[in-house]
Amino acid sequence: MSINRKNSAIGVFDSGLGGLTVVKELIHQLPSENIVYFGDTARVPYGTKSKETIIRFSQENTMVLLDYRVKMIVVACNSSSSYAISNLERTFNIPIIGVIGPGSQKAAENTKNGRVGVIATSATIASGKYDDTIRRIDKNIKVFSKACPMFVPLVEQGWIRKKVTEDIALEYLIELKNKNVDTLILGCTHYPLLKEVIQKVMGGKVSLIDSAETVAAQVRNILEKENITRTREEKPRHRFIVSDKPQNFKDIANTFLGYSIKDVILRK
Ligand code: DGL
């Protein structure tokens, strides 16, 4: 593997801003790596769209990242990961990782009572991908799923600690709470920002699984296996590209990433 390939960026895409929760974890676990992030802000949300549309958008996003000669692709969007991974793997000759496998693995390892909850967008829940993946890991685990479509707009509105958010969370989650799950997968890029309120509703004993952490660990494994880990000393470059409203992305990015972004590139 050439030095250049090692120095190439990790490409990450999401339907919009939410995938920055995955970038945050990548930066934390792989501080030397260059990263190119593409947020498809012109077409967000994906979580309400059909399988065919999500696959097409995911292919187009991958092509955007390939223009930047990325060395691997991280599909940060759960909705894309649910429907498009095998299609992308067939189409593109580059390591591709989604968020469903790592999150499922972590949940299966964590549960003690064999009862796992999954919350996500309508598209992700409808795909049944988390259920299938967890059952393939351990067929004795019972999976209980619930779509929480109002969580994404609440997070984008910045309503993270509002009373109304807690009321909505209770409405969505009471079903899973009554199923006595001991592990809950946050199966959407935005949900880690609602951890506090979700934990409050579910109770302190339920473990919340944020797939961003496990994804970053798997990215590290892939880089090592492929021998494409960046070894250069210079500061890495993190580039952010969106398909619409770069200023809006810049304004909200801090909430997801924990620091402000100076430049956001617009690509139509
Ligand atoms: N990124 C999406 C996901 O993780 C959430 C936002 C959307 O619906 O596009 O499923």
Side-chain angles (χ1 to χ4, degrees), residues 32-33 41 47 88 97 123 133 150 201 207 210 238-240 263:
S32 312
E33 293 293 335
T41 47
L88 296 179
I97 178 177
T133 310
M150 283 165 77
V201 170
S207 311
D210 171 354
H238 301 148
R239 279 173 288 181
F240 299 91
D263 298 308

Side-chain angles (χ1 to χ4, degrees), residues 14-229:
D14 179 47
S15 52
L17 277 151
L20 291 176
T21 52
V22 174
V23 171
K24 184 176 179 192
E25 203 45 48
L26 284 172
I27 293 173
H28 178 65
Q29 292 193 35
L30 296 161
S32 312
E33 293 293 335
N34 292 311
I35 295 173
V36 177
Y37 179 89
F38 178 65
D40 191 8
T41 47
R43 304 190 288 195
V44 68
Y46 285 11
T48 52
K49 301 213 162 58
S50 69
K51 175 181 176 180
E52 293 69 30
T53 301
I54 292 173
I55 291 177
R56 178 163 54 87
F57 288 177
S58 303
Q59 286 191 339
E60 289 167 3
N61 298 343
T62 302
M63 287 192 282
V64 168
L65 290 172
L66 289 176
D67 278 352
Y68 291 83
R69 300 185 187 285
V70 296
K71 59 185 172 186
M72 72 171 291
I73 304 272
V74 180
V75 181
C77 178
N78 284 257
S79 306
S80 290
S81 295
S82 297
Y83 285 120
I85 293 292
S86 45
N87 181 290
L88 296 179
E89 279 173 346
R90 278 197 306 276
T91 315
F92 302 100
N93 184 23
I94 183 170
I96 295 175
I97 178 177
V99 287
I100 309 286
S104 302
Q105 185 67 43
K106 194 170 171 196
E109 283 164 11
N110 185 78
T111 182
K112 302 271 185 303
N113 70 359
R115 301 172 78 81
V116 171
V118 180
I119 52 172
T121 63
S122 304
T124 298
I125 296 301
S127 77
K129 198 72 186 174
Y130 272 110
D131 309 41
D132 293 350
T133 310
I134 295 169
R135 287 211 193 92
R136 224 175 302 124
I137 297 167
D138 182 345
K139 63 176 176 6
N140 296 315
I141 296 177
K142 287 203 162 42
V143 182
F144 304 93
S145 304
K146 179 80 186 169
C148 306
M150 283 165 77
F151 278 175
V152 167
L154 284 170
V155 169
E156 297 209 337
Q157 193 66 41
W159 288 15
I160 305 230
R161 283 184 193 86
K162 292 233 179 204
K163 168 84 172 60
V164 63
T165 307
E166 205 176 312
D167 291 345
I168 291 170
L170 183 64
E171 192 77 30
Y172 280 142
L173 300 175
I174 192 73
E175 208 176 300
L176 299 178
K177 197 174 154 76
N178 289 340
K179 296 283 185 209
N180 198 24
V181 300
D182 71 350
T183 304
L184 180 66
I185 298 181
L186 307 179
C188 172
T189 46
H190 289 56
Y191 298 1
L193 282 110
L194 294 175
K195 255 184 194 166
E196 220 172 275
V197 62
I198 294 170
Q199 191 79 70
K200 188 168 172 200
V201 170
M202 293 304 290
K205 292 209 181 90
V206 173
S207 311
L208 305 184
I209 304 293
D210 171 354
S211 42
E213 291 164 19
T214 18
V215 171
Q218 283 215 10
V219 169
R220 182 175 342 108
N221 290 343
I222 293 174
L223 296 180
E224 279 167 14
K225 203 169 114 225
E226 303 270 332
N227 191 23
I228 50 175
T229 304

